[in-house]
């Protein structure tokens, strides 16, 4: 379980997160929703150690991640797929996957085969340079590169960004299936609230760095005020 307690993160004078508390459990997708500037990406960056909080705590089980080096957080089983996918276009699909396994103790051959079975299109393109992949294929590769390390926690930042609706739908189904089959703790940051709420178990809504709602995803999806004022959704 990831437990966040009274987390505050500043960028200079800007308060990006204000007293944020939430929990994310194994086998469940926790969707973090809100408009641009709500603090969603900052939350993931704080969990993975890319930014340091001014106060509050981040716990993986009973272990605090605050001020721990990013590489050590990764070794504890936290994988972060940042916004923009971040694959290395000059390398092949397989080379990108091998990079994902470097900090772990997994058998690389077995790890590669597992990802090719999970994402067959990557197996077909394993020797292709990533510059030749479509946006959807790059997103699959970014996820596979995170999963090859066999994480306990998967942080996903805007995985549907720039993808066609059909590709987004398939990607969200894959996230849901991975969460349940691998008992992963998944924290999914999304502006596409409608797609995220379809697969999430729990939803947290941020507004200007503050939690304005935290409940079962279906309850958040059916709350007209949340849909209209914070998620940009209308009936």
């Amino acid at each position: 379980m990831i437990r966040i307690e009274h987390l505050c993160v500043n960028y200079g004078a800007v308060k990006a997160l204000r007293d944020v508390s939430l929990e994310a459990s194994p086998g469940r997708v926790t969707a973090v929703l809100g408009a641009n500037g709500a603090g969603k990406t900052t939350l993931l960056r704080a969990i993975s150690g890319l930014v340091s909080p001014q106060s509050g705590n981040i716990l993986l089980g009973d272990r605090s991640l605050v001020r721990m080096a990013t590489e050590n957080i990764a070794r504890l089983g936290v994988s972060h797929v940042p916004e923009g996918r971040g694959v290395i276009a000059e390398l092949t699909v397989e080379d990108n996957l091998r990079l994902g396994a470097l900090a772990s103790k997994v058998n690389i051959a077995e790890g590669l085969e597992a990802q090719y079975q999970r994402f067959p299109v990557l197996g077909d393109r394993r020797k292709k340079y990533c510059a030749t992949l479509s946006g959807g294929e790059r997103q699959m590769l970014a996820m596979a590169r995170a999963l090859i390390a066999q994480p306990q926690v998967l942080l996903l930042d805007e995985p549907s960004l720039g993808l066609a609706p059909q590709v987004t739908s398939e990607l969200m189904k894959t996230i849901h299936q991975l969460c349940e089959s691998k008992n992963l703790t998944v924290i999914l940051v999304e502006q596409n609230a409608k797609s995220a709420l379809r697969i999430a178990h729990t939803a947290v809504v941020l507004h200007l760095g503050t939690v304005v709602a935290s409940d079962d995803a279906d309850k958040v999806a059916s709350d007209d005020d949340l849909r209209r004022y914070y998620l940009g959704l209308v009936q």
Side-chain angles (χ1 to χ4, degrees), residues 16-37:
L17 294 177
R18 310 166 186 242
D19 197 32
V20 169
S21 296
L22 62 91
E23 290 184 354
S25 303
R28 295 174 66 85
V29 176
T30 300
V32 180
L33 310 172
N36 279 335

Side-chain angles (χ1 to χ4, degrees), residues 11-234:
Y11 296 120
V14 177
K15 297 184 182 299
L17 294 177
R18 310 166 186 242
D19 197 32
V20 169
S21 296
L22 62 91
E23 290 184 354
S25 303
R28 295 174 66 85
V29 176
T30 300
V32 180
L33 310 172
N36 279 335
K40 305 185 302 295
T41 292
T42 297
L43 177 65
L44 296 192
R45 288 171 60 83
I47 295 170
S48 59
L50 295 171
V51 296
S52 295
Q54 273 59 52
S55 60
N57 205 358
I58 303 166
L59 296 162
L60 175 61
D62 59 0
R63 186 164 188 172
S64 177
L65 304 182
V66 172
R67 292 178 180 80
M68 187 180 292
T70 298
E71 59 270 25
N72 292 333
I73 293 174
R75 290 189 183 102
L76 289 176
V78 179
S79 286
H80 186 172
V81 180
E83 181 181 346
R85 304 177 185 101
V87 300
I88 302 175
E90 295 80 10
L91 297 181
T92 65
V93 167
E94 188 154 300
D95 286 339
N96 269 270
L97 289 174
R98 287 178 178 276
L99 285 177
L102 284 180
S104 70
K105 297 179 180 179
V106 300
N107 180 296
I108 292 181
E110 292 177 0
L112 289 170
E113 189 55 35
Q115 298 314 311
Y116 294 148
Q117 289 180 12
R118 181 173 289 121
F119 302 104
V121 67
L122 299 182
D124 295 340
R125 290 160 172 71
R126 66 183 73 188
K127 299 302 181 184
K128 299 290 186 182
Y129 289 102
C130 293
T132 67
L133 301 182
S134 69
E137 290 165 350
R138 289 190 186 202
Q139 188 60 68
M140 289 179 199
L141 177 55
M143 285 180 56
R145 189 175 61 186
L147 291 167
I148 197 171
Q150 298 179 357
Q152 300 177 59
V153 178
L154 184 62
L155 310 176
L156 297 169
D157 194 353
E158 303 282 6
S160 73
L161 186 67
L163 300 184
Q166 185 174 353
V167 177
T168 295
S169 179
E170 289 302 315
L171 182 67
M172 291 296 174
K173 288 178 185 175
T174 300
I175 293 168
H176 185 80
Q177 290 165 358
L178 280 169
C179 175
E180 295 194 334
S181 65
K182 297 295 183 182
N183 202 37
L184 281 171
T185 299
V186 176
I187 302 180
L188 169 64
V189 157
E190 262 295 342
Q191 264 196 284
N192 188 340
K194 187 178 292 186
S195 293
L197 287 168
R198 287 195 185 111
I199 67 158
H201 302 87
T202 304
V204 176
V205 182
L206 292 180
H207 178 66
L208 299 179
T210 301
V211 175
V212 294
S214 181
D215 210 332
D216 291 341
D218 57 351
K219 291 182 180 178
V220 171
S222 63
D223 187 313
D224 289 340
D225 287 339
L226 288 174
R227 289 168 57 87
R228 184 178 298 111
Y229 295 117
Y230 297 113
L231 303 180
L233 300 174
V234 294

